[in-house]
Amino acid sequence: MDTLARKLGLRTDNHIFFVSAGLTITLLVLFLVFQDWVGNAFGVGREWIVTNLGWFFIIGVTVWLVFLIWVAVSKYGHLRLGEDDDRPEYSNLSWFAMLFAGGIGTVLMFWGVAEPISHFSAPPFDDVEPYSVEASQDAMSISLYHLSLHTWAIFTLPGLAFGFFIYRYKLPMRVSSVFYPILKERIWGPIGKTIDVFAVLGTIFGLAVSLGLGTSQINAGLSELVGLPDAVWAKVLIIGVLTVVATISIAVGLDKGVRRLSNLNILVAVGLMIFVLIASDTVFLLRQVFESFGNYAQDIVPLSFWNDAMAEFTSDGGWGWQGGWTVFYWAWTVTWAPFMGVFLARISRGRTIRQFVAGVLVAPSLFTLVWFVVFGWSAMRIDGIGGSGGSISEAVSESVPLAMFTFFENFPAATLVQGIAVVVVALFFATSSDSASLVIDMLCSGDGEAGPVRQRVFWGVTEGAVAATLIVLGGEAGLQALQQVITVIGLPIFILVSLMIIALVMGLRAERVKVQPLTREEFREHNGESTATESEKVRSSSLARNSDTRVESPDDRTE
C-alpha cells in the first residue's frame, strides 16, 4: 500500500484510504450486478431493523439530547474545546452565521413543504382527521421534532466529541480519536482503523442519499419548467453534470469562489423564504412563529418518547409510519455525523462546552422553526385547513419532490421562482459534494488541512457514483429504496455515536488526571516497528499526572 500511495502521490493513511475506497467500489459493483438481490437484502434488513430496533433509534436520539443539555449545565460546561487559554477564532456573529449556513440546504428545501403537508393530509394519529386544525398543528410539531433540536443533537454530540479529544488531546481528526478513553493506544491499530473505515463509508452513503433527494427535486423542477421526463436516466444525468461541476471546483482550487457561491446560495434561499412570508398572509405566519414554538415545546416530550408501542392495537400501520419517517430521519442524519462533527469542531475551537452546545442546538433550530412556519403553514393554508385538501397534497401523494414546485405555483412570477428554487438546490448539491470530499479526505488522513487535489477529486467522483448507483438501484421506487439503504447503513454509525457518550464521560472525568496519548510513531515503536526519527524514541508513552493538577499535552505533537 505504501508503494502504491507514493506512486499515486497520496498523502493519507493508506490502510483507511485504500480499504474505504476498495469497499466503496466493491459495493457499487455488487449493487449494479446484483440489483434485485441487493434491493431485496436491503429491504429485509430495513424491515428487521425498524421492527426490532426502531425504538433504539428513537429513544437513543432523545438520550443524546438530554446528555448534551446535562453536560452544558454541569461543572464541565466551562471546559474549552482546546487549550484552557484558547479563545474562539470567530466572533459570535460569524459563528452563528456559519451555524445558520449549516442549518439550511437540500434537506430544508426538500422537506419544507413536503413534510408538513404529508402529516397534514395523512396524520399518523388515528383519532385525528386529515386537513383538520388539529392535523395542521400536529404536522408542524412533528416536522419540527424531526428537523430541529433532535436533528442537531445528532450533529452536536460528535462535534463536541471531535472538538474535545482532537483539540485537548492533540489527536488526529478521525472518528477513532474520540474513543481514546476506551481504546487507548489501540486507536492506532486495527480496531481504530475499522472505526474510521465505517465512518467514511457511512458518510459517503449518507451524502449519497442527500444527493439522491436533491436530484429528485431538481428533476421534478425541470419537469415542471422544461418538460424533462421524471425518469431514472434523467436523475443519473443530473447527478453526472453536478458531480462534474463539483469535481472541477475541487480540481481548479476555487475554494474562495465556492465559499462565496455557497454564501450567495444561502442568501438566495433566505430570499425565497422572505418572498413567501411577504406574498402569503404575513400576519398569520408571524403569529404562527410564536404559537408553533409553544406547541412544539408542549409536544416535544411525548414525541421524543413515542415509539408507537401500541400500534398493533390501534391501527394497521405498525412500524410503517415511524419506519418511513422518524427512524429513517435518524438513520440518515447520523450518517452525516462525522461530516458535520468535523465542520462544527473546526469552527468552534476555543469555545466552552456550554457555549458550543447552546449555540449549535439553539441557533439552527430557531432558523428551522421559522423556515417550516413560513413554508409549511403557507402550504397548509393554501390547501385549506378544515377542508378536504388541494393541489399540494395531491402533488405529495404523487411525488414528494413535486411539493415545493406545486407550492410555488400559487405565488406571483411562479416560473421564475421555480427556476430559482432549482438553481438553489443544484448549487447546494455541488457545494455539499465539494465540502464533503474535503471532510472525507480529512477523515482518511487525520490531517486538519486539505490533502492533494487528486484525493479530493477521487472522493468527489465516488460520491456522485454512489448517488447515481442508489438512484439506479431504487428505480421507480426512488425514496423508498433510499430509505432502505440508509436505515441499514446508519445502524453501525448510530451505535458508534452512542458510544461517544461513554467516551466523553470518561474524558471529562479524567480531566484532572489526564494521560498523554501515544502518537502513531510511539505506537509503532511500542510494537517493534521502525520510527521516523530518533527523537520520537525517547518520548514516553504516558505522563503521570498529579491528581490535583492538570498538565496540558505538549504543543509539538503532530499526527
Side-chain angles (χ1 to χ4, degrees):
M1 287 187 184
D2 293 342
T3 302
L4 180 59
R6 284 194 299 271
K7 289 182 178 180
L8 295 176
L10 304 180
R11 192 178 75 234
T12 186
D13 183 294
N14 298 332
H15 291 91
I16 298 173
F17 179 88
F18 285 114
V19 172
S20 299
L23 286 175
T24 302
I25 294 172
T26 300
L27 288 172
L28 287 181
V29 173
L30 290 175
F31 286 178
L32 291 173
V33 173
F34 304 102
Q35 290 187 32
D36 294 338
W37 184 86
V38 171
N40 292 334
F42 275 113
V44 172
R46 175 182 176 271
E47 183 178 357
W48 185 89
I49 290 172
V50 167
T51 302
N52 296 282
L53 295 176
W55 62 272
F56 172 61
F57 280 91
I58 292 171
I59 303 304
V61 177
T62 298
V63 170
W64 300 357
L65 178 60
V66 172
F67 169 78
L68 289 167
I69 295 172
W70 167 80
V71 77
V73 300
S74 72
K75 63 182 179 181
Y76 304 115
H78 72 282
L79 294 175
R80 294 190 178 274
L81 304 184
E83 307 292 344
D84 288 338
D85 57 354
D86 281 350
R87 290 298 179 267
E89 181 179 356
Y90 303 100
S91 67
N92 286 335
L93 182 60
S94 297
W95 188 56
F96 282 127
M98 285 185 282
L99 293 176
F100 169 79
I104 183 174
T106 55
V107 175
L108 291 185
M109 289 293 294
F110 190 89
W111 294 113
V113 169
E115 178 160 7
I117 283 291
S118 295
H119 307 324
F120 177 56
S121 59
F125 306 117
D126 289 338
D127 56 346
V128 177
E129 289 293 324
Y131 308 108
S132 64
V133 171
E134 186 179 3
S136 66
Q137 293 172 332
D138 286 346
M140 185 54 57
S141 290
I142 292 170
S143 299
L144 293 174
Y145 162 57
H146 282 156
L147 286 164
S148 55
L149 285 175
H150 278 70
T151 282
W152 281 92
I154 295 174
F155 297 148
T156 306
L157 178 56
L160 176 61
F162 268 114
F164 183 81
F165 289 106
I166 291 171
Y167 294 136
R168 290 186 77 85
Y169 283 69
K170 302 296 187 297
L171 290 168
M173 194 167 286
R174 296 197 190 112
V175 176
S176 58
S177 296
V178 173
F179 298 98
Y180 176 78
I182 300 173
L183 299 176
K184 300 301 182 185
E185 275 63 41
R186 284 174 292 177
I187 63 171
W188 304 111
I191 297 177
K193 294 184 187 298
T194 300
I195 290 173
D196 293 323
V197 168
F198 268 116
V200 170
L201 291 177
T203 302
I204 290 173
F205 279 88
L207 177 67
V209 170
S210 294
L211 299 185
L213 294 177
T215 300
S216 298
Q217 193 168 36
I218 294 171
N219 194 180
L222 293 176
S223 296
E224 288 285 310
L225 293 172
V226 298
L228 180 70
D230 186 2
V232 171
W233 68 264
K235 294 182 177 69
V236 172
L237 178 62
I238 292 169
I239 288 177
V241 171
L242 293 178
T243 299
V244 169
V245 173
T247 302
I248 291 174
S249 73
I250 295 170
V252 300
L254 295 178
D255 290 340
K256 291 184 179 179
V258 170
R259 189 180 303 113
R260 290 170 182 165
L261 191 61
S262 179
N263 291 338
L264 175 62
N265 204 32
I266 293 166
L267 291 176
V268 175
V270 173
L272 281 177
M273 182 178 69
I274 295 173
F275 167 76
V276 173
L277 175 64
I278 295 173
S280 297
D281 189 335
T282 306
V283 174
F284 171 76
L285 294 178
L286 292 176
R287 291 169 63 187
Q288 279 294 349
V289 169
F290 298 99
E291 186 165 316
S292 296
F293 175 81
N295 289 336
Y296 171 58
Q298 173 181 292
D299 295 337
I300 186 173
V301 173
L303 285 174
S304 297
F305 293 94
W306 173 51
N307 60 87
D308 222 5
M310 300 298 291
E312 60 180 299
F313 303 108
T314 58
S315 71
D316 297 327
W319 270 102
W321 187 90
Q322 284 197 316
W325 287 99
T326 309
V327 177
F328 163 63
Y329 267 139
W330 296 167
W332 171 29
T333 306
V334 81
T335 59
W336 277 67
F339 172 36
M340 286 299 298
V342 170
F343 167 72
L344 294 174
R346 287 198 66 181
I347 67 173
S348 303
R349 181 171 185 171
R351 295 193 178 274
T352 66
I353 290 176
R354 188 170 294 122
Q355 291 171 337
F356 177 82
V357 172
V360 177
L361 282 181
V362 174
S365 295
L366 288 177
F367 177 75
T368 301
L369 168 69
V370 176
W371 182 275
F372 269 105
V373 165
V374 171
F375 284 93
W377 274 114
S378 294
M380 289 187 287
R381 190 175 178 88
I382 290 171
D383 258 22
I385 299 173
S388 57
S391 60
I392 305 176
S393 297
E394 292 176 2
V396 169
S397 63
E398 178 185 346
S399 173
V400 171
L402 278 174
M404 179 71 75
F405 300 100
T406 304
F407 170 73
F408 282 133
E409 290 176 354
N410 298 276
F411 293 86
T415 302
L416 174 62
V417 176
Q418 289 173 331
I420 292 173
V422 170
V423 172
V424 168
V425 176
L427 291 179
F428 273 130
F429 181 118
T431 53
S432 294
S433 180
D434 192 356
S435 302
S437 300
L438 173 62
V439 171
I440 293 173
D441 186 48
M442 286 164 35
L443 291 175
C444 288
S445 67
D447 192 349
E449 300 300 324
V453 171
R454 66 193 67 190
Q455 291 177 192
R456 287 179 284 143
V457 167
F458 171 79
W459 291 121
V461 172
T462 300
E463 291 155 13
V466 173
T469 301
L470 293 182
I471 290 292
V472 172
L473 181 66
E476 299 303 322
L479 180 59
Q480 182 180 358
L482 295 179
Q483 289 175 335
Q484 292 175 346
V485 172
I486 208 60
T487 302
V488 175
I489 296 293
L491 179 59
I493 308 297
F494 196 92
I495 294 172
L496 279 180
V497 177
S498 297
L499 292 174
M500 287 182 184
I501 292 181
I502 299 174
L504 270 170
V505 170
M506 294 175 66
L508 292 170
R509 294 183 64 182
E511 268 300 298
R512 295 183 64 179
V513 187
K514 187 166 78 176
V515 176
Q516 173 188 347
L518 287 175
T519 65
R520 179 170 56 188
E521 290 74 18
E522 290 168 339
F523 176 78
R524 288 174 175 173
E525 172 69 11
H526 180 72
N527 285 275
E529 301 177 25
S530 60
T531 54
T533 64
E534 186 66 27
S535 62
E536 290 170 344
K537 297 181 180 180
V538 300
R539 298 187 63 184
S540 59
S541 64
S542 63
L543 298 177
R545 294 293 184 262
N546 183 284
S547 61
D548 297 321
T549 305
R550 176 180 175 276
V551 180
E552 298 294 341
S553 301
D555 291 333
D556 64 342
R557 186 205 321 281
T558 58
E559 157 58 359

